[in-house]
Amino acid sequence: MRKPVVAANWKMFKTRDEALQFIYAVNDQVPSKDIVDTIICAPAIHLRSLVKRQGENIRIGAQNMHYADEGAYTGEISPNMLVSTGVSYVIIGHNERRRYNNETEDDVNLKLIAAINHGLIPIVCLGETAEQFEHADTDYILREQVRTAFKGVKAKDVEKIILAYEPIWAVGTGRSAPSELADQKCGLIRKIVGDLYSAECSNKIRVLYGGSVNTSNCYDLLVKPNIDGALIGGAALVADNYVQMCKQAVEALNFKENN
Ligand code: PGA
């Protein structure tokens, strides 16, 4: 059974005090790291403070990074810098980065390779726009996104990567994808990885769902066979809600193990 992941994506929310309040509130409340990977992806300016205060069951992630080790890239943050800060995860290719910062599929690929080379665990976001969804282009888009993202990635590294299916029409809209659809697309992503590599890679890679996950729909999504966890924005800004969703991940896992 794949270990579930519950990753919070704080986006550009929380002052330093709010970030610290959150980590103190959740540290002792989240399930054991042996059962769930509990990850807080915070604004870069808070990463070091959070790493210093992370409880034994929490890990901290960045929301973006540059692919180069260093260079004249004003305002950017390198993989080396993240590693030296004690960060373990990094979100790559979030649709807001693609939309507002012109990130391309090739950038996603370069960043994915850089993350692996530096021992950071990438959480790579994939997903279609509303228009592509309406035109039934989702499967084609996902195939192209996975193919490009994995260019040059070795089979031995595939299981370290976390993928997140985030239909753009569901992110921040309060309109989550229905759990059957999310499960089907996460299953498709798993199959695409299997076609590129092997059945073993396809079985091991974790595929999350993201897009308006909240305390009311989290269990229904995570209990689906192809959904290994969630990437959660808005609903993960409130400590109690975040803890509740981590607990739902454990319940969903228990259900899957017994059925
Ligand atoms: P949301 O964001 O949960 O607020 O829809 C998800 C994400 O951006 O990863």
Side-chain angles (χ1 to χ4, degrees), residues 167-212:
I168 296 169
W169 47 269
V171 172
T173 59
R175 195 164 68 92
S176 166
S179 54
E180 289 74 22
L181 177 77
D183 184 53
Q184 190 203 338
K185 298 310 174 197
C186 289
L188 172 69
I189 290 169
R190 187 180 306 293
K191 183 178 177 311
I192 298 167
V193 172
D195 292 344
L196 284 175
Y197 293 92
S198 64
E200 196 194 345
C201 290
S202 150
N203 265 332
K204 284 189 170 166
I205 195 164
R206 290 180 292 178
V207 186
L208 318 183
Y209 167 76
S212 299

Side-chain angles (χ1 to χ4, degrees), residues 46-165:
H46 301 323
L47 292 176
R48 183 62 192 157
S49 307
L50 291 172
V51 165
K52 276 168 45 185
R53 292 166 180 85
Q54 70 190 9
E56 63 167 326
N57 294 315
I58 301 236
R59 289 296 171 268
I60 306 301
Q63 298 174 7
N64 176 44
M65 66 173 196
H66 199 281
Y67 47 79
D69 284 356
E70 56 185 14
Y73 300 109
T74 301
E76 292 287 343
I77 294 173
S78 75
N80 294 338
M81 294 171 192
L82 291 182
V83 170
S84 70
T85 303
V87 162
S88 329
Y89 293 82
V90 58
I91 296 175
I92 290 175
H94 191 280
N95 80 74
E96 288 150 16
R97 301 270 338 154
R98 294 173 188 253
R99 188 157 26 136
Y100 303 125
N101 301 82
N102 304 318
E103 280 191 18
T104 64
E105 304 300 341
D106 289 331
D107 293 329
V108 171
N109 173 244
L110 290 169
K111 291 180 183 203
L112 171 52
I113 303 235
I116 291 169
N117 288 342
H118 287 86
L120 291 163
I121 301 176
I123 302 174
V124 183
C125 300
L126 314 163
E128 79 286 1
T129 63
E131 202 186 351
Q132 288 162 339
F133 179 71
E134 276 152 25
H135 289 110
D137 285 337
T138 303
D139 295 7
Y140 168 78
I141 295 292
L142 291 176
R143 198 163 281 119
E144 289 308 301
Q145 287 179 336
V146 174
R147 264 199 207 136
T148 312
F150 279 77
K151 256 186 220 163
V153 174
K154 298 190 185 78
K156 70 170 174 54
D157 292 323
V158 170
E159 67 182 82
K160 299 174 195 156
I161 298 165
I162 297 174
L163 299 177
Y165 171 55

Side-chain angles (χ1 to χ4, degrees), residues 22-47:
F22 185 104
I23 197 91
Y24 288 133
V26 301
N27 264 342
D28 296 331
Q29 302 297 321
V30 295
S32 161
K33 66 175 181 321
D34 298 333
I35 303 171
V36 181
D37 283 328
T38 302
I39 308 158
I40 311 287
C41 298
I45 197 162
H46 301 323
L47 292 176

